[in-house]
Amino acid sequence: MDASNGSSSAAAPQSRPLSIRTKPRAPAAGTDEWTTNDSTAEKEPVSPTARLMEPVYIVVTIGLGSPLDLPVFTTHMASGLPRYSRFQSIQVTEDGNLRWARVKVKVEDHIVVPTLDPVAVAVAANPDQSVEDYVASLFTLPMDRSRPLWEFHFLNFPTSEATSTAIIRVHHSLGDGMSLMTLLMSSASSAADPTRLPAMPKQPERTGAIYAPRRPRSSGAMPFLGWVCSYFVLAWNTMVDVAAFIATMMFLRDPHTLFKRSDDTVFNPPRRFVHRSLSLDDVKFIKNAINCTVNDVLVGATSAALSRYYFRKSGNSNSDKIRLRSVLPVNLRSTTSLQAGAFIFRRMFANTTISFTSMIGPAEQTNWCGHPVVFIAPSVYGVPQALIMHYQSYCSTIKVILSVDKEIFPDYSQLLDDFAVSFRCIKDAASKL
């Protein structure tokens, strides 16, 4: 991350960040260092995809149901994380090539327990705002690239949802959201049975005509014509999608709206990270009532929430000329050319308005490093869109997490309210079916 960008971003904060002094705490004796013997090991090249993630960081806020027990956390991390090579590696340049190099890792260098200044009485007055301010302040703090790019921050005071809070910051080159979720769950256990990993939701059964077994094609002209037409429609839709992708990459930009900056010169704007808990049972009720998928419900509620916010703020009810497109990141294969990939990456994010992701979490109460987990709220920073939306399920709740450009969304709390209202309205309508 460019440190100068972070410094300029902090010049005009949305609200005064939490005043802190950070000091690493020493872990339990005998668990403070991972040692690796890689003197003869070949250094693995950094993949083009990882290099494209240079400005992007993942930030995960985890609410805990008990006060912080730092020695327990340290013991779990020291025993579990060494299994993952990326968390023991840094990026080095050799002969002009970027490679991963194993290093000795001291756990204490990656644990931050902030010491609150005596004048920071805002913690007692509004602990939720204090956590929000602290997470937002991480944007201004560059990470030490002489160490593996991951950190654990702990705020050991109660909020409206949790007894204490853990904030994980990880450079996106170490993995994507799903791989990092898998890593976290490997250090967790079921609250009902600590001897096993947390149970994940079962894969949903796919129903409907598209998933029905194919029937043998009967003879005759009409079935043959139907078969030909279906492939023609598939080919046509594919060509349209490819053309739209190329146009977006080259010149097709979403127009300036309340959700988008007027130019793309600010690739990494300062952000606020906020979240709201919703009922997963309500989402499933809507899904069953209208015979769709969970993702269909989330996309529909998102559209409704953004519409409510837009029309209230703009006072305009004419949506004929509004174009608002979302990027749904999916990694299908490795990129063979970094320069072509970097161009596509930047243009796709700069020419669209929002990003949207949805992740599945444990289906039961989970203990992470000996602490009960209340909620999981992942997000990112380092991309140009003013609004990034994440949905994260856990037990019987689903979190909507917003990463917002605070200059574009100074009233981001109202946008969160719009999500809650939209879900409630959709549920009320579904209950009448």
Side-chain angles (χ1 to χ4, degrees):
M1 182 175 66
D2 187 352
S4 62
N5 187 15
S7 299
S8 62
S9 301
Q14 174 65 23
S15 61
R16 186 175 185 272
L18 180 65
S19 179
I20 59 169
R21 297 190 306 273
T22 58
K23 179 178 65 175
R25 294 285 186 88
T31 63
D32 62 338
E33 187 174 285
W34 302 335
T35 58
T36 60
N37 183 10
D38 64 341
S39 57
T40 60
E42 182 180 358
K43 296 182 176 66
E44 180 184 355
V46 177
S47 68
T49 301
R51 296 174 69 180
L52 290 177
M53 296 293 109
E54 174 60 30
V56 185
Y57 290 78
I58 298 174
V59 179
V60 185
T61 304
I62 301 179
L64 304 176
S66 63
L68 171 66
D69 189 333
L70 190 58
V72 171
F73 259 107
T74 304
T75 301
H76 278 81
M77 287 187 287
S79 61
L81 289 178
R83 297 195 299 267
Y84 302 91
S85 61
R86 288 292 179 269
F87 280 71
Q88 305 174 73
S89 304
I90 62 173
Q91 296 182 13
V92 298
T93 302
E94 290 186 351
D95 300 327
N97 297 317
L98 201 60
R99 297 181 179 274
W100 292 108
R102 292 284 187 98
V103 295
K104 291 184 177 180
V105 179
K106 291 184 178 180
V107 177
E108 63 179 0
D109 293 336
H110 299 266
I111 298 178
V112 179
V113 180
T115 301
L116 304 181
D117 290 338
V119 297
V121 295
V123 174
N126 193 341
D128 291 351
Q129 186 66 44
S130 298
V131 172
E132 181 186 318
D133 290 342
Y134 184 85
V135 177
S137 71
L138 296 179
F139 172 87
T140 66
L141 304 175
M143 299 184 74
D144 185 354
R145 290 186 172 270
S146 66
R147 304 167 181 166
L149 297 178
W150 56 270
E151 297 173 343
F152 290 83
H153 300 251
F154 298 105
L155 302 178
N156 197 20
F157 55 83
T159 62
S160 62
E161 289 189 89
T163 304
S164 59
T165 306
I167 303 108
I168 306 171
R169 179 165 64 154
V170 179
H171 193 271
H172 212 315
S173 63
L174 301 186
D176 58 15
M178 185 54 66
S179 63
L180 293 176
M181 177 62 67
T182 302
L183 184 151
L184 291 177
M185 290 303 101
S186 68
S187 302
S189 62
S190 167
D193 182 4
T195 62
R196 62 174 176 83
L197 294 175
M200 298 296 287
K202 295 181 180 180
Q203 291 293 330
E205 295 184 1
R206 302 299 186 181
T207 58
I210 191 174
Y211 302 105
R214 287 191 174 185
R215 298 178 180 178
R217 182 165 55 88
S218 59
S219 59
M222 293 304 295
F224 176 77
L225 289 177
W227 178 79
V228 171
C229 288
S230 66
Y231 276 89
F232 176 79
V233 171
L234 176 63
W236 172 257
N237 289 334
T238 301
M239 289 189 296
V240 171
D241 290 341
V242 171
F245 178 85
I246 295 175
T248 301
M249 183 178 64
M250 301 302 297
F251 62 87
L252 184 61
R253 298 186 59 195
D254 286 358
H256 173 59
T257 64
L258 293 175
F259 305 115
K260 185 175 175 61
R261 287 180 177 268
S262 57
D263 58 70
D264 59 356
T265 58
V266 181
F267 193 78
N268 192 9
R271 293 188 174 276
R272 306 293 289 189
F273 304 91
V274 292
H275 50 85
R276 182 72 59 86
S277 294
L278 304 169
S279 172
L280 183 58
D281 292 336
D282 288 348
V283 174
K284 292 180 179 179
F285 171 79
I286 298 171
K287 172 187 76 74
N288 295 330
I290 60 180
N291 191 24
C292 65
T293 67
V294 169
N295 279 339
D296 292 335
V297 177
L298 301 182
V299 172
T302 299
S303 177
L306 297 181
S307 297
R308 291 178 62 89
Y309 182 87
Y310 178 85
F311 293 124
R312 182 180 66 250
K313 292 284 292 185
S314 65
N316 180 16
S317 60
N318 182 14
S319 61
D320 294 339
K321 297 183 179 180
I322 297 176
R323 182 173 67 246
L324 187 153
R325 295 175 299 164
S326 173
V327 172
L328 283 77
V330 177
N331 185 17
L332 296 178
R333 63 187 66 184
S334 59
T335 306
T336 57
S337 172
L338 178 64
Q339 288 74 25
F343 175 78
I344 294 173
F345 179 83
R346 184 179 181 92
R347 297 290 291 182
M348 286 299 296
F349 279 91
N351 288 348
T352 54
T353 302
I354 60 179
S355 291
F356 180 99
T357 64
S358 175
M359 289 183 56
I360 298 175
E364 62 175 342
Q365 185 65 45
T366 300
N367 290 336
W368 179 54
C369 294
H371 296 66
V373 175
V374 178
F375 67 82
I376 306 172
S379 193
V380 300
Y381 68 83
V383 294
Q385 281 115 333
L387 177 61
I388 305 172
M389 292 172 294
H390 302 266
Y391 286 98
Q392 174 70 59
S393 67
Y394 173 63
C395 291
S396 60
T397 63
I398 186 166
K399 274 282 187 184
V400 52
I401 308 106
L402 305 182
S403 172
V404 299
D405 183 335
K406 62 183 182 182
E407 295 182 7
I408 303 298
F409 294 93
D411 52 352
Y412 49 84
S413 59
Q414 292 185 6
L415 180 58
L416 264 183
D417 293 338
D418 289 330
F419 274 86
V421 172
S422 296
F423 272 100
R424 185 168 63 249
C425 291
I426 295 175
K427 180 189 175 184
D428 291 342
S431 63
K432 299 177 182 178
L433 296 178

